Amino acid sequence: MMIEIGLVIYPGAQLAAVLGLTDLFGVANRIAVSCRKTDAPAVRVTHWRQDNTSDAPHCVFDSCPEEPSGNLSALIVPPTLGEPISTKEAAALTTWLRDHHADGVALGSVCAGAFALAATGLIDGRRITTHWSYADMLQQRFPALSVDADQLIIDDGDIITAGGLMAWTDLGLRLVDRFLGPTVMIETARVLLVDPPGREQRYYSVFSPRLTHGDAAVLKVQHWLQATQAADVALKTLAAQAGLQERTFLRRFQKATGMTTTEYCQRLRVGRARELLQFSNTSIDRVAWEVGYSDPGAFRKVFARIVGLSPGDYRRRFSVGQGAGK
C-alpha cells in the first residue's frame, strides 16, 4: 500500500523545509521501489497550501498524480522563519488538522510548527518539543501541555514533534523508518549524508501504533492511552472509553491494531520507560513504578522481551545523563 505524507504550507511556512522533506521522501521512495523490485511508488508526497488563515488547506502538489487518490498517513507542519502562528490565525488550520487526526492521520511539526499542533488541543497533558528559543512562549501560551525543548524529537505515535529549525531531517527519517522500515531509512540517510543514530537495531526502534485502520472507537482508545501514558489499562475502562461491550472491544481492538490490549499497553509503557532511562537518573525500580508496574521484576522481563536489552544495559548504552540509577 502506498504511503501518503502531506506537507502543510501555511502563511510564513519555511519552504526550504517543505522542499527538503519532499526530496528526502523522494529519495526514500526510489530506494524502497528498488528494494521491492517494482515500479509501483511506495511514497506519495502531497503539498497542502493554506492561502489565507481563514481557509482550510488545499492540495497544490502531488508527486504521484497518475496514481489513484488514497488516504493520508501523516501531515507535517513545517517551521516558520517569522513569528510563530497565533492561536487566532491557526483556527482554520487546527480544525483541519483535528479532523485528519480523528481519521487516524499522524501529525508532525518542526520547530515553530509546534504552535499549530498545540493549538489543536490534541497534545494537552502530553509532552512536546520545539526550538529552545520558543520553549517559554509555547509553554505560556499553552499551559496544559509540557514543553521539553531538551529533546530533539518526541514521538508519541499519533503526534511527532521535532525541535530545531533543521530537525525536519530527523522527523523525515523517523517517518521513513516507521512506514518503509529501517533498511530504507538507513540507506536514505546514507545517500543524504545524514547521521542516523543506529535505528536499525531493535533497541532503537520506536513503537509506531497502527492508526489508519478506520475503526473510530478503537482509535479513540488509542489516543486516550497515548495521552494518559497507559496509566489505566483495565479492560473495563478501555471498553468504556470505546463505548463497546468488553468482548466486542477486544475483538475489534486486535483486528484494528494487530495486538492484544495487553501487548499494546506494554509497548506504550516500555516506550515511556526508555525515555526515563535515557534522560533521567531515576532508579530502575522507580522507572517501573512511574510507567505503571508495581512489580519491578515483571517490568524487567517485559522490557527485555520488547527491547532486547535489560533496563540496566539499555541505560548504560544510551543514557545521556551523568549517572545511572540501579
Side-chain angles (χ1 to χ4, degrees):
M1 182 179 70
M2 184 166 56
I3 300 299
E4 180 178 345
I5 300 175
L7 308 175
V8 184
I9 306 173
Y10 58 97
Q14 184 194 23
L15 296 181
V18 174
L19 297 177
L21 282 165
T22 302
D23 288 343
L24 186 152
F25 294 132
V27 170
N29 179 63
R30 290 197 295 274
I31 294 168
V33 168
S34 175
C35 290
R36 297 176 181 183
K37 298 180 180 179
T38 175
D39 292 332
V43 178
R44 168 186 241 140
V45 180
T46 50
H47 295 176
W48 299 80
R49 190 174 68 210
Q50 186 187 32
D51 294 321
N52 300 294
T53 56
S54 58
D55 298 330
H58 60 282
C59 187
V60 295
F61 169 79
D62 186 342
S63 65
C64 302
E66 69 286 353
E67 297 291 329
S69 59
N71 296 318
L72 280 161
S73 297
L75 281 168
I76 300 175
V77 183
T80 174
L81 294 178
E83 285 297 307
I85 191 169
S86 70
T87 303
K88 182 179 180 180
E89 291 173 327
L93 176 59
T94 53
T95 297
W96 184 77
L97 290 171
R98 277 196 300 266
D99 289 344
H100 279 291
H101 181 265
D103 289 335
V105 178
L107 303 181
S109 70
V110 182
C111 192
F115 284 79
L117 287 197
T120 65
L122 296 169
I123 323 177
D124 288 358
R126 298 161 69 176
R127 293 190 312 134
I128 186 173
T129 190
T130 187
H131 192 280
W132 59 267
S133 64
Y134 294 131
D136 289 343
M137 183 192 301
L138 184 63
Q139 187 67 79
Q140 290 171 9
R141 190 178 293 182
F142 303 100
L145 53 80
S146 175
V147 179
D148 186 356
D150 290 336
Q151 304 303 313
L152 180 63
I153 192 164
I154 294 178
D155 186 345
D156 251 1
D158 60 324
I159 305 285
I160 311 173
T161 54
L165 195 64
M166 295 298 294
W168 58 263
T169 57
D170 301 88
L171 179 59
L173 289 176
R174 178 63 61 93
L175 289 175
V176 171
D177 193 6
R178 172 182 297 192
F179 294 126
L180 300 178
T183 300
V184 175
M185 185 275 290
I186 291 293
E187 184 62 15
T188 301
R190 188 188 69 80
V191 170
L192 297 175
L193 296 180
V194 178
D195 181 27
R199 280 169 278 192
E200 75 277 16
Q201 299 298 326
R202 173 162 61 137
Y203 38 80
Y204 288 97
S205 298
V206 175
F207 175 45
S208 301
R210 190 187 302 170
L211 299 170
T212 55
H213 45 70
D215 190 325
V218 172
L219 186 62
K220 178 182 177 183
V221 174
Q222 289 178 274
H223 291 330
W224 181 78
L225 284 169
Q226 199 81 48
T228 60
Q229 298 181 352
D232 185 350
V233 298
L235 175 57
K236 181 179 179 181
T237 303
L238 301 182
Q241 285 290 326
L244 300 171
Q245 295 294 322
E246 292 181 8
R247 290 181 62 182
T248 302
F249 168 70
L250 284 175
R251 174 177 53 79
R252 285 173 56 173
F253 189 93
Q254 185 152 13
K255 180 181 178 181
T257 66
M259 299 181 185
T260 66
T261 55
T262 298
E263 292 169 334
Y264 189 94
C265 294
Q266 284 176 342
R267 289 183 177 274
L268 282 179
R269 288 177 166 185
V270 165
R272 173 60 177 152
R274 284 157 62 171
E275 293 182 2
L276 292 172
L277 291 169
Q278 274 188 274
F279 301 110
S280 79
N281 292 324
T282 306
S283 72
I284 292 174
D285 285 1
R286 182 64 187 177
V287 168
W289 178 265
E290 290 283 345
V291 300
Y293 288 92
S294 58
D295 180 354
F299 163 71
R300 284 176 165 84
K301 289 180 181 178
V302 170
F303 189 97
R305 176 172 56 79
I306 291 175
V307 179
L309 294 169
S310 70
D313 287 342
Y314 184 88
R315 167 167 276 168
R316 281 186 287 274
R317 190 180 292 248
F318 301 114
S319 174
V320 298
Q322 297 301 311
K326 302 297 184 181

